[in-house]
Amino acid sequence: MPDSLPQAAHYPFRDMHQAHCRRADLGAAQLLTAFSTAAPGWAATLMAWRNRLAARFGLKTGPMQQSGTLSLQPGGHIGMFRIMHLGPQLAVLGEDDRHLDFRILLSVSPEAGGSRLQVETWVRPHHWGGWLYLALVLPVHWLLSKLMLRRMAQRLGESGSSRQLR
């Protein structure tokens, strides 16, 4: 990983989910596009509640859904997630806040019969409040990250071909 990318050792919480997609011609920009539309409708409602509560504590807030045209370049945003890196097979989204820093790593790699999609979440809490926040959101995070990855794989597998997720 280039020096400008996050180093795993700096993030004490990390999780990862993988999915197979039968489409072989994928890149990180396509993953970002799929990510931008993969959240279910109920996630926007949860994010609105999260934003109301977080604002009371002086934490960053922002919309879950992206409106308008995506700007797929470092510094652009997908909802409240800033694009920090965009390479051929890896995109890094994230944000730094008072309570914690987080990164979402979206990667794609070729494998037999298509591509392996991988979503990793890395979190670096700054103090006990960051650890408490992480503990509170983890159940929803796990559910949402798995669901979004599955939806990404299905959409990417369907675009440009009639093949489905295995």
Side-chain angles (χ1 to χ4, degrees):
M1 231 183 256
D3 291 338
S4 63
L5 294 175
Q7 301 299 310
H10 298 150
Y11 294 83
F13 173 83
R14 296 183 301 276
D15 72 4
M16 185 240 330
H17 304 287
Q18 297 181 351
H20 177 81
C21 179
R22 291 187 182 212
R23 192 165 159 206
D25 60 339
L26 296 174
Q30 291 161 308
L31 290 181
L32 283 178
T33 301
F35 179 84
S36 74
T37 61
W42 55 263
T45 302
L46 287 179
M47 284 303 293
W49 283 56
R50 179 253 177 231
N51 286 342
R52 275 190 229 121
L53 290 171
R56 294 178 186 218
F57 294 99
L59 303 177
K60 292 182 181 180
T61 62
M64 180 64 176
Q65 300 296 335
Q66 177 70 26
S67 59
T69 306
L70 289 177
S71 174
L72 296 181
Q73 59 186 338
H77 282 80
I78 294 178
M80 68 181 292
F81 306 122
R82 181 169 43 105
I83 300 171
M84 305 182 96
H85 172 82
L86 181 58
Q89 294 184 306
L90 173 68
V92 179
L93 304 165
E95 200 59 65
D96 297 339
D97 207 344
R98 292 182 336 162
H99 64 312
L100 56 76
D101 302 339
F102 75 90
R103 302 294 181 263
I104 299 170
L105 291 80
L106 305 170
S107 61
V108 60
S109 56
E111 70 175 11
S115 299
R116 172 69 41 193
L117 310 182
Q118 185 168 297
V119 176
E120 296 179 65
T121 305
W122 297 2
V123 181
R124 177 177 39 218
H126 296 300
H127 47 72
W128 69 267
W131 284 104
L132 177 62
Y133 177 86
L134 180 61
L136 291 172
V137 302
L138 271 179
V140 173
H141 161 76
W142 279 323
L143 174 68
L144 190 57
S145 60
K146 289 178 185 180
L147 177 60
M148 287 181 67
L149 177 61
R150 186 173 66 234
R151 290 170 66 133
M152 288 169 58
Q154 288 170 339
R155 288 179 181 167
L156 290 167
E158 292 166 359
S159 62
S161 77
S162 60
R163 291 183 266 177
Q164 300 291 317
L165 174 68
R166 168 170 27 144

mmCIF file with all atom_site columns, all heavy atoms in Angstrom, residues 12 45 51 53-54 56 65 67 71 82 85 88 92-93 102 105 109 117 119 132 136-137 151-152 159:
data_model
loop_
_atom_site.group_PDB
_atom_site.id
_atom_site.type_symbol
_atom_site.label_atom_id
_atom_site.label_alt_id
_atom_site.label_comp_id
_atom_site.label_asym_id
_atom_site.label_entity_id
_atom_site.label_seq_id
_atom_site.pdbx_PDB_ins_code
_atom_site.Cartn_x
_atom_site.Cartn_y
_atom_site.Cartn_z
_atom_site.occupancy
_atom_site.B_iso_or_equiv
_atom_site.pdbx_formal_charge
_atom_site.auth_seq_id
_atom_site.auth_comp_id
_atom_site.auth_asym_id
_atom_site.auth_atom_id
_atom_site.pdbx_PDB_model_num
ATOM 1   N N   . PRO A 1 12  ? -7.288  0.123   15.581  1.00 0.00 ? 12  PRO A N   1
ATOM 2   C CA  . PRO A 1 12  ? -7.468  -1.066  16.423  1.00 0.00 ? 12  PRO A CA  1
ATOM 3   C C   . PRO A 1 12  ? -8.723  -1.880  16.122  1.00 0.00 ? 12  PRO A C   1
ATOM 4   O O   . PRO A 1 12  ? -8.761  -3.069  16.427  1.00 0.00 ? 12  PRO A O   1
ATOM 5   C CB  . PRO A 1 12  ? -7.513  -0.514  17.846  1.00 0.00 ? 12  PRO A CB  1
ATOM 6   C CG  . PRO A 1 12  ? -7.749  0.941   17.715  1.00 0.00 ? 12  PRO A CG  1
ATOM 7   C CD  . PRO A 1 12  ? -7.291  1.356   16.357  1.00 0.00 ? 12  PRO A CD  1
ATOM 8   N N   . THR A 1 45  ? -32.958 6.724   7.200   1.00 0.00 ? 45  THR A N   1
ATOM 9   C CA  . THR A 1 45  ? -33.692 7.068   8.414   1.00 0.00 ? 45  THR A CA  1
ATOM 10  C C   . THR A 1 45  ? -32.791 6.932   9.637   1.00 0.00 ? 45  THR A C   1
ATOM 11  O O   . THR A 1 45  ? -32.757 7.810   10.506  1.00 0.00 ? 45  THR A O   1
ATOM 12  C CB  . THR A 1 45  ? -34.931 6.164   8.560   1.00 0.00 ? 45  THR A CB  1
ATOM 13  O OG1 . THR A 1 45  ? -35.744 6.328   7.401   1.00 0.00 ? 45  THR A OG1 1
ATOM 14  C CG2 . THR A 1 45  ? -35.717 6.499   9.817   1.00 0.00 ? 45  THR A CG2 1
ATOM 15  N N   . ASN A 1 51  ? -27.512 11.581  12.986  1.00 0.00 ? 51  ASN A N   1
ATOM 16  C CA  . ASN A 1 51  ? -27.079 12.966  12.806  1.00 0.00 ? 51  ASN A CA  1
ATOM 17  C C   . ASN A 1 51  ? -27.676 13.887  13.865  1.00 0.00 ? 51  ASN A C   1
ATOM 18  O O   . ASN A 1 51  ? -26.995 14.787  14.368  1.00 0.00 ? 51  ASN A O   1
ATOM 19  C CB  . ASN A 1 51  ? -27.417 13.459  11.406  1.00 0.00 ? 51  ASN A CB  1
ATOM 20  C CG  . ASN A 1 51  ? -26.498 12.867  10.349  1.00 0.00 ? 51  ASN A CG  1
ATOM 21  O OD1 . ASN A 1 51  ? -25.411 12.363  10.660  1.00 0.00 ? 51  ASN A OD1 1
ATOM 22  N ND2 . ASN A 1 51  ? -26.933 12.893  9.109   1.00 0.00 ? 51  ASN A ND2 1
ATOM 23  N N   . LEU A 1 53  ? -28.589 13.093  16.916  1.00 0.00 ? 53  LEU A N   1
ATOM 24  C CA  . LEU A 1 53  ? -27.909 12.831  18.185  1.00 0.00 ? 53  LEU A CA  1
ATOM 25  C C   . LEU A 1 53  ? -26.453 13.311  18.153  1.00 0.00 ? 53  LEU A C   1
ATOM 26  O O   . LEU A 1 53  ? -25.974 13.925  19.107  1.00 0.00 ? 53  LEU A O   1
ATOM 27  C CB  . LEU A 1 53  ? -27.962 11.339  18.510  1.00 0.00 ? 53  LEU A CB  1
ATOM 28  C CG  . LEU A 1 53  ? -29.335 10.791  18.882  1.00 0.00 ? 53  LEU A CG  1
ATOM 29  C CD1 . LEU A 1 53  ? -29.292 9.270   18.972  1.00 0.00 ? 53  LEU A CD1 1
ATOM 30  C CD2 . LEU A 1 53  ? -29.818 11.393  20.191  1.00 0.00 ? 53  LEU A CD2 1
ATOM 31  N N   . ALA A 1 54  ? -25.759 13.027  17.058  1.00 0.00 ? 54  ALA A N   1
ATOM 32  C CA  . ALA A 1 54  ? -24.345 13.391  16.958  1.00 0.00 ? 54  ALA A CA  1
ATOM 33  C C   . ALA A 1 54  ? -24.145 14.905  16.996  1.00 0.00 ? 54  ALA A C   1
ATOM 34  O O   . ALA A 1 54  ? -23.163 15.392  17.575  1.00 0.00 ? 54  ALA A O   1
ATOM 35  C CB  . ALA A 1 54  ? -23.750 12.812  15.679  1.00 0.00 ? 54  ALA A CB  1
ATOM 36  N N   . ARG A 1 56  ? -25.691 17.047  18.684  1.00 0.00 ? 56  ARG A N   1
ATOM 37  C CA  . ARG A 1 56  ? -25.746 17.509  20.079  1.00 0.00 ? 56  ARG A CA  1
ATOM 38  C C   . ARG A 1 56  ? -24.398 17.379  20.781  1.00 0.00 ? 56  ARG A C   1
ATOM 39  O O   . ARG A 1 56  ? -24.138 18.071  21.758  1.00 0.00 ? 56  ARG A O   1
ATOM 40  C CB  . ARG A 1 56  ? -26.806 16.744  20.852  1.00 0.00 ? 56  ARG A CB  1
ATOM 41  C CG  . ARG A 1 56  ? -28.203 17.031  20.372  1.00 0.00 ? 56  ARG A CG  1
ATOM 42  C CD  . ARG A 1 56  ? -29.204 16.210  21.129  1.00 0.00 ? 56  ARG A CD  1
ATOM 43  N NE  . ARG A 1 56  ? -30.513 16.409  20.558  1.00 0.00 ? 56  ARG A NE  1
ATOM 44  C CZ  . ARG A 1 56  ? -31.614 16.492  21.249  1.00 0.00 ? 56  ARG A CZ  1
ATOM 45  N NH1 . ARG A 1 56  ? -31.570 16.374  22.559  1.00 0.00 ? 56  ARG A NH1 1
ATOM 46  N NH2 . ARG A 1 56  ? -32.767 16.674  20.651  1.00 0.00 ? 56  ARG A NH2 1
ATOM 47  N N   . GLN A 1 65  ? -27.472 9.476   1.733   1.00 0.00 ? 65  GLN A N   1
ATOM 48  C CA  . GLN A 1 65  ? -27.661 9.329   0.295   1.00 0.00 ? 65  GLN A CA  1
ATOM 49  C C   . GLN A 1 65  ? -26.990 10.471  -0.446  1.00 0.00 ? 65  GLN A C   1
ATOM 50  O O   . GLN A 1 65  ? -27.040 11.610  -0.017  1.00 0.00 ? 65  GLN A O   1
ATOM 51  C CB  . GLN A 1 65  ? -29.153 9.289   -0.054  1.00 0.00 ? 65  GLN A CB  1
ATOM 52  C CG  . GLN A 1 65  ? -29.906 8.144   0.589   1.00 0.00 ? 65  GLN A CG  1
ATOM 53  C CD  . GLN A 1 65  ? -29.430 6.788   0.106   1.00 0.00 ? 65  GLN A CD  1
ATOM 54  O OE1 . GLN A 1 65  ? -28.900 6.641   -0.976  1.00 0.00 ? 65  GLN A OE1 1
ATOM 55  N NE2 . GLN A 1 65  ? -29.616 5.775   0.932   1.00 0.00 ? 65  GLN A NE2 1
ATOM 56  N N   . SER A 1 67  ? -26.835 13.058  -3.444  1.00 0.00 ? 67  SER A N   1
ATOM 57  C CA  . SER A 1 67  ? -27.756 13.680  -4.384  1.00 0.00 ? 67  SER A CA  1
ATOM 58  C C   . SER A 1 67  ? -26.957 14.288  -5.523  1.00 0.00 ? 67  SER A C   1
ATOM 59  O O   . SER A 1 67  ? -25.839 14.747  -5.332  1.00 0.00 ? 67  SER A O   1
ATOM 60  C CB  . SER A 1 67  ? -28.587 14.759  -3.686  1.00 0.00 ? 67  SER A CB  1
ATOM 61  O OG  . SER A 1 67  ? -27.743 15.745  -3.144  1.00 0.00 ? 67  SER A OG  1
ATOM 62  N N   . SER A 1 71  ? -18.976 12.834  -7.798  1.00 0.00 ? 71  SER A N   1
ATOM 63  C CA  . SER A 1 71  ? -17.655 13.310  -8.159  1.00 0.00 ? 71  SER A CA  1
ATOM 64  C C   . SER A 1 71  ? -16.664 12.250  -7.701  1.00 0.00 ? 71  SER A C   1
ATOM 65  O O   . SER A 1 71  ? -16.238 12.245  -6.552  1.00 0.00 ? 71  SER A O   1
ATOM 66  C CB  . SER A 1 71  ? -17.374 14.650  -7.472  1.00 0.00 ? 71  SER A CB  1
ATOM 67  O OG  . SER A 1 71  ? -16.041 15.048  -7.713  1.00 0.00 ? 71  SER A OG  1
ATOM 68  N N   . ARG A 1 82  ? -16.053 10.976  2.660   1.00 0.00 ? 82  ARG A N   1
ATOM 69  C CA  . ARG A 1 82  ? -15.102 11.645  1.774   1.00 0.00 ? 82  ARG A CA  1
ATOM 70  C C   . ARG A 1 82  ? -14.246 10.597  1.055   1.00 0.00 ? 82  ARG A C   1
ATOM 71  O O   . ARG A 1 82  ? -13.781 9.636   1.669   1.00 0.00 ? 82  ARG A O   1
ATOM 72  C CB  . ARG A 1 82  ? -14.207 12.577  2.584   1.00 0.00 ? 82  ARG A CB  1
ATOM 73  C CG  . ARG A 1 82  ? -13.191 13.346  1.770   1.00 0.00 ? 82  ARG A CG  1
ATOM 74  C CD  . ARG A 1 82  ? -12.525 14.430  2.595   1.00 0.00 ? 82  ARG A CD  1
ATOM 75  N NE  . ARG A 1 82  ? -12.166 14.002  3.933   1.00 0.00 ? 82  ARG A NE  1
ATOM 76  C CZ  . ARG A 1 82  ? -10.926 13.733  4.324   1.00 0.00 ? 82  ARG A CZ  1
ATOM 77  N NH1 . ARG A 1 82  ? -9.922  13.833  3.482   1.00 0.00 ? 82  ARG A NH1 1
ATOM 78  N NH2 . ARG A 1 82  ? -10.687 13.358  5.565   1.00 0.00 ? 82  ARG A NH2 1
ATOM 79  N N   . HIS A 1 85  ? -8.932  8.194   -1.395  1.00 0.00 ? 85  HIS A N   1
ATOM 80  C CA  . HIS A 1 85  ? -8.011  7.580   -2.360  1.00 0.00 ? 85  HIS A CA  1
ATOM 81  C C   . HIS A 1 85  ? -8.852  6.865   -3.401  1.00 0.00 ? 85  HIS A C   1
ATOM 82  O O   . HIS A 1 85  ? -9.860  6.239   -3.074  1.00 0.00 ? 85  HIS A O   1
ATOM 83  C CB  . HIS A 1 85  ? -7.087  6.584   -1.657  1.00 0.00 ? 85  HIS A CB  1
ATOM 84  C CG  . HIS A 1 85  ? -6.255  5.772   -2.614  1.00 0.00 ? 85  HIS A CG  1
ATOM 85  N ND1 . HIS A 1 85  ? -5.087  6.246   -3.158  1.00 0.00 ? 85  HIS A ND1 1
ATOM 86  C CD2 . HIS A 1 85  ? -6.453  4.541   -3.135  1.00 0.00 ? 85  HIS A CD2 1
ATOM 87  C CE1 . HIS A 1 85  ? -4.591  5.314   -3.976  1.00 0.00 ? 85  HIS A CE1 1
ATOM 88  N NE2 . HIS A 1 85  ? -5.403  4.277   -3.983  1.00 0.00 ? 85  HIS A NE2 1
ATOM 89  N N   . PRO A 1 88  ? -6.790  1.995   -9.160  1.00 0.00 ? 88  PRO A N   1
ATOM 90  C CA  . PRO A 1 88  ? -7.438  1.090   -10.112 1.00 0.00 ? 88  PRO A CA  1
ATOM 91  C C   . PRO A 1 88  ? -8.298  0.012   -9.444  1.00 0.00 ? 88  PRO A C   1
ATOM 92  O O   . PRO A 1 88  ? -9.362  -0.329  -9.946  1.00 0.00 ? 88  PRO A O   1
ATOM 93  C CB  . PRO A 1 88  ? -6.287  0.457   -10.876 1.00 0.00 ? 88  PRO A CB  1
ATOM 94  C CG  . PRO A 1 88  ? -5.071  1.228   -10.528 1.00 0.00 ? 88  PRO A CG  1
ATOM 95  C CD  . PRO A 1 88  ? -5.342  1.986   -9.276  1.00 0.00 ? 88  PRO A CD  1
ATOM 96  N N   . VAL A 1 92  ? -10.662 4.346   -1.030  1.00 0.00 ? 92  VAL A N   1
ATOM 97  C CA  . VAL A 1 92  ? -10.715 4.544   0.413   1.00 0.00 ? 92  VAL A CA  1
ATOM 98  C C   . VAL A 1 92  ? -11.614 5.745   0.695   1.00 0.00 ? 92  VAL A C   1
ATOM 99  O O   . VAL A 1 92  ? -11.389 6.828   0.169   1.00 0.00 ? 92  VAL A O   1
ATOM 100 C CB  . VAL A 1 92  ? -9.312  4.778   1.023   1.00 0.00 ? 92  VAL A CB  1
ATOM 101 C CG1 . VAL A 1 92  ? -9.412  4.994   2.529   1.00 0.00 ? 92  VAL A CG1 1
ATOM 102 C CG2 . VAL A 1 92  ? -8.378  3.621   0.705   1.00 0.00 ? 92  VAL A CG2 1
ATOM 103 N N   . LEU A 1 93  ? -12.625 5.492   1.501   1.00 0.00 ? 93  LEU A N   1
ATOM 104 C CA  . LEU A 1 93  ? -13.529 6.539   1.972   1.00 0.00 ? 93  LEU A CA  1
ATOM 105 C C   . LEU A 1 93  ? -13.250 6.730   3.453   1.00 0.00 ? 93  LEU A C   1
ATOM 106 O O   . LEU A 1 93  ? -12.777 5.811   4.121   1.00 0.00 ? 93  LEU A O   1
ATOM 107 C CB  . LEU A 1 93  ? -14.987 6.114   1.800   1.00 0.00 ? 93  LEU A CB  1
ATOM 108 C CG  . LEU A 1 93  ? -15.429 5.711   0.406   1.00 0.00 ? 93  LEU A CG  1
ATOM 109 C CD1 . LEU A 1 93  ? -16.759 4.991   0.462   1.00 0.00 ? 93  LEU A CD1 1
ATOM 110 C CD2 . LEU A 1 93  ? -15.521 6.930   -0.471  1.00 0.00 ? 93  LEU A CD2 1
ATOM 111 N N   . PHE A 1 102 ? -12.388 6.965   10.840  1.00 0.00 ? 102 PHE A N   1
ATOM 112 C CA  . PHE A 1 102 ? -12.744 5.696   10.219  1.00 0.00 ? 102 PHE A CA  1
ATOM 113 C C   . PHE A 1 102 ? -12.365 5.716   8.751   1.00 0.00 ? 102 PHE A C   1
ATOM 114 O O   . PHE A 1 102 ? -12.280 6.764   8.125   1.00 0.00 ? 102 PHE A O   1
ATOM 115 C CB  . PHE A 1 102 ? -14.234 5.362   10.395  1.00 0.00 ? 102 PHE A CB  1
ATOM 116 C CG  . PHE A 1 102 ? -15.140 6.164   9.507   1.00 0.00 ? 102 PHE A CG  1
ATOM 117 C CD1 . PHE A 1 102 ? -15.486 5.712   8.246   1.00 0.00 ? 102 PHE A CD1 1
ATOM 118 C CD2 . PHE A 1 102 ? -15.640 7.376   9.932   1.00 0.00 ? 102 PHE A CD2 1
ATOM 119 C CE1 . PHE A 1 102 ? -16.313 6.455   7.423   1.00 0.00 ? 102 PHE A CE1 1
ATOM 120 C CE2 . PHE A 1 102 ? -16.476 8.125   9.128   1.00 0.00 ? 102 PHE A CE2 1
ATOM 121 C CZ  . PHE A 1 102 ? -16.808 7.666   7.859   1.00 0.00 ? 102 PHE A CZ  1
ATOM 122 N N   . LEU A 1 105 ? -12.519 0.720   3.100   1.00 0.00 ? 105 LEU A N   1
ATOM 123 C CA  . LEU A 1 105 ? -11.699 0.317   1.969   1.00 0.00 ? 105 LEU A CA  1
ATOM 124 C C   . LEU A 1 105 ? -12.525 -0.593  1.078   1.00 0.00 ? 105 LEU A C   1
ATOM 125 O O   . LEU A 1 105 ? -12.992 -1.649  1.521   1.00 0.00 ? 105 LEU A O   1
ATOM 126 C CB  . LEU A 1 105 ? -10.446 -0.418  2.447   1.00 0.00 ? 105 LEU A CB  1
ATOM 127 C CG  . LEU A 1 105 ? -9.407  0.431   3.173   1.00 0.00 ? 105 LEU A CG  1
ATOM 128 C CD1 . LEU A 1 105 ? -9.793  0.659   4.615   1.00 0.00 ? 105 LEU A CD1 1
ATOM 129 C CD2 . LEU A 1 105 ? -8.045  -0.213  3.085   1.00 0.00 ? 105 LEU A CD2 1
ATOM 130 N N   . SER A 1 109 ? -10.535 -7.583  -6.808  1.00 0.00 ? 109 SER A N   1
ATOM 131 C CA  . SER A 1 109 ? -9.408  -8.338  -7.344  1.00 0.00 ? 109 SER A CA  1
ATOM 132 C C   . SER A 1 109 ? -9.951  -9.467  -8.214  1.00 0.00 ? 109 SER A C   1
ATOM 133 O O   . SER A 1 109 ? -11.015 -10.018 -7.935  1.00 0.00 ? 109 SER A O   1
ATOM 134 C CB  . SER A 1 109 ? -8.527  -8.888  -6.221  1.00 0.00 ? 109 SER A CB  1
ATOM 135 O OG  . SER A 1 109 ? -9.283  -9.678  -5.343  1.00 0.00 ? 109 SER A OG  1
ATOM 136 N N   . LEU A 1 117 ? -14.980 -8.979  -4.452  1.00 0.00 ? 117 LEU A N   1
ATOM 137 C CA  . LEU A 1 117 ? -15.236 -7.661  -3.884  1.00 0.00 ? 117 LEU A CA  1
ATOM 138 C C   . LEU A 1 117 ? -14.969 -7.744  -2.391  1.00 0.00 ? 117 LEU A C   1
ATOM 139 O O   . LEU A 1 117 ? -15.354 -8.720  -1.737  1.00 0.00 ? 117 LEU A O   1
ATOM 140 C CB  . LEU A 1 117 ? -16.684 -7.233  -4.108  1.00 0.00 ? 117 LEU A CB  1
ATOM 141 C CG  . LEU A 1 117 ? -17.244 -7.336  -5.520  1.00 0.00 ? 117 LEU A CG  1
ATOM 142 C CD1 . LEU A 1 117 ? -18.681 -6.829  -5.544  1.00 0.00 ? 117 LEU A CD1 1
ATOM 143 C CD2 . LEU A 1 117 ? -16.385 -6.585  -6.507  1.00 0.00 ? 117 LEU A CD2 1
ATOM 144 N N   . VAL A 1 119 ? -14.993 -5.318  1.271   1.00 0.00 ? 119 VAL A N   1
ATOM 145 C CA  . VAL A 1 119 ? -15.267 -4.084  2.000   1.00 0.00 ? 119 VAL A CA  1
ATOM 146 C C   . VAL A 1 119 ? -14.678 -4.241  3.393   1.00 0.00 ? 119 VAL A C   1
ATOM 147 O O   . VAL A 1 119 ? -15.019 -5.178  4.120   1.00 0.00 ? 119 VAL A O   1
ATOM 148 C CB  . VAL A 1 119 ? -16.775 -3.785  2.093   1.00 0.00 ? 119 VAL A CB  1
ATOM 149 C CG1 . VAL A 1 119 ? -17.029 -2.547  2.947   1.00 0.00 ? 119 VAL A CG1 1
ATOM 150 C CG2 . VAL A 1 119 ? -17.379 -3.609  0.714   1.00 0.00 ? 119 VAL A CG2 1
ATOM 151 N N   . LEU A 1 132 ? -17.249 3.919   22.978  1.00 0.00 ? 132 LEU A N   1
ATOM 152 C CA  . LEU A 1 132 ? -18.670 3.772   23.288  1.00 0.00 ? 132 LEU A CA  1
ATOM 153 C C   . LEU A 1 132 ? -19.508 3.924   22.020  1.00 0.00 ? 132 LEU A C   1
ATOM 154 O O   . LEU A 1 132 ? -20.408 3.121   21.762  1.00 0.00 ? 132 LEU A O   1
ATOM 155 C CB  . LEU A 1 132 ? -19.099 4.803   24.339  1.00 0.00 ? 132 LEU A CB  1
ATOM 156 C CG  . LEU A 1 132 ? -20.577 4.812   24.697  1.00 0.00 ? 132 LEU A CG  1
ATOM 157 C CD1 . LEU A 1 132 ? -21.013 3.476   25.297  1.00 0.00 ? 132 LEU A CD1 1
ATOM 158 C CD2 . LEU A 1 132 ? -20.876 5.957   25.663  1.00 0.00 ? 132 LEU A CD2 1
ATOM 159 N N   . LEU A 1 136 ? -21.956 1.104   20.227  1.00 0.00 ? 136 LEU A N   1
ATOM 160 C CA  . LEU A 1 136 ? -23.378 1.348   19.972  1.00 0.00 ? 136 LEU A CA  1
ATOM 161 C C   . LEU A 1 136 ? -23.765 1.106   18.514  1.00 0.00 ? 136 LEU A C   1
ATOM 162 O O   . LEU A 1 136 ? -24.859 0.629   18.233  1.00 0.00 ? 136 LEU A O   1
ATOM 163 C CB  . LEU A 1 136 ? -23.752 2.770   20.375  1.00 0.00 ? 136 LEU A CB  1
ATOM 164 C CG  . LEU A 1 136 ? -23.738 3.070   21.876  1.00 0.00 ? 136 LEU A CG  1
ATOM 165 C CD1 . LEU A 1 136 ? -23.934 4.564   22.125  1.00 0.00 ? 136 LEU A CD1 1
ATOM 166 C CD2 . LEU A 1 136 ? -24.784 2.246   22.606  1.00 0.00 ? 136 LEU A CD2 1
ATOM 167 N N   . VAL A 1 137 ? -22.868 1.432   17.585  1.00 0.00 ? 137 VAL A N   1
ATOM 168 C CA  . VAL A 1 137 ? -23.222 1.315   16.161  1.00 0.00 ? 137 VAL A CA  1
ATOM 169 C C   . VAL A 1 137 ? -22.840 -0.033  15.548  1.00 0.00 ? 137 VAL A C   1
ATOM 170 O O   . VAL A 1 137 ? -23.291 -0.344  14.446  1.00 0.00 ? 137 VAL A O   1
ATOM 171 C CB  . VAL A 1 137 ? -22.616 2.464   15.309  1.00 0.00 ? 137 VAL A CB  1
ATOM 172 C CG1 . VAL A 1 137 ? -23.082 3.818   15.815  1.00 0.00 ? 137 VAL A CG1 1
ATOM 173 C CG2 . VAL A 1 137 ? -21.112 2.387   15.232  1.00 0.00 ? 137 VAL A CG2 1
ATOM 174 N N   . ARG A 1 151 ? -25.639 -6.162  -2.109  1.00 0.00 ? 151 ARG A N   1
ATOM 175 C CA  . ARG A 1 151 ? -26.323 -5.355  -3.116  1.00 0.00 ? 151 ARG A CA  1
ATOM 176 C C   . ARG A 1 151 ? -25.341 -4.826  -4.162  1.00 0.00 ? 151 ARG A C   1
ATOM 177 O O   . ARG A 1 151 ? -25.659 -4.770  -5.346  1.00 0.00 ? 151 ARG A O   1
ATOM 178 C CB  . ARG A 1 151 ? -27.074 -4.205  -2.441  1.00 0.00 ? 151 ARG A CB  1
ATOM 179 C CG  . ARG A 1 151 ? -28.275 -4.705  -1.644  1.00 0.00 ? 151 ARG A CG  1
ATOM 180 C CD  . ARG A 1 151 ? -28.871 -3.620  -0.786  1.00 0.00 ? 151 ARG A CD  1
ATOM 181 N NE  . ARG A 1 151 ? -29.451 -2.562  -1.618  1.00 0.00 ? 151 ARG A NE  1
ATOM 182 C CZ  . ARG A 1 151 ? -30.648 -2.052  -1.427  1.00 0.00 ? 151 ARG A CZ  1
ATOM 183 N NH1 . ARG A 1 151 ? -31.414 -2.492  -0.448  1.00 0.00 ? 151 ARG A NH1 1
ATOM 184 N NH2 . ARG A 1 151 ? -31.089 -1.094  -2.206  1.00 0.00 ? 151 ARG A NH2 1
ATOM 185 N N   . MET A 1 152 ? -24.134 -4.454  -3.744  1.00 0.00 ? 152 MET A N   1
ATOM 186 C CA  . MET A 1 152 ? -23.115 -4.010  -4.694  1.00 0.00 ? 152 MET A CA  1
ATOM 187 C C   . MET A 1 152 ? -22.770 -5.133  -5.660  1.00 0.00 ? 152 MET A C   1
ATOM 188 O O   . MET A 1 152 ? -22.701 -4.926  -6.871  1.00 0.00 ? 152 MET A O   1
ATOM 189 C CB  . MET A 1 152 ? -21.856 -3.548  -3.941  1.00 0.00 ? 152 MET A CB  1
ATOM 190 C CG  . MET A 1 152 ? -22.010 -2.243  -3.208  1.00 0.00 ? 152 MET A CG  1
ATOM 191 S SD  . MET A 1 152 ? -20.615 -1.894  -2.088  1.00 0.00 ? 152 MET A SD  1
ATOM 192 C CE  . MET A 1 152 ? -19.238 -1.917  -3.215  1.00 0.00 ? 152 MET A CE  1
ATOM 193 N N   . SER A 1 159 ? -24.852 -5.288  -14.231 1.00 0.00 ? 159 SER A N   1
ATOM 194 C CA  . SER A 1 159 ? -24.555 -4.215  -15.182 1.00 0.00 ? 159 SER A CA  1
ATOM 195 C C   . SER A 1 159 ? -23.616 -4.718  -16.268 1.00 0.00 ? 159 SER A C   1
ATOM 196 O O   . SER A 1 159 ? -22.594 -5.311  -15.991 1.00 0.00 ? 159 SER A O   1
ATOM 197 C CB  . SER A 1 159 ? -23.945 -3.008  -14.457 1.00 0.00 ? 159 SER A CB  1
ATOM 198 O OG  . SER A 1 159 ? -22.738 -3.360  -13.845 1.00 0.00 ? 159 SER A OG  1
#
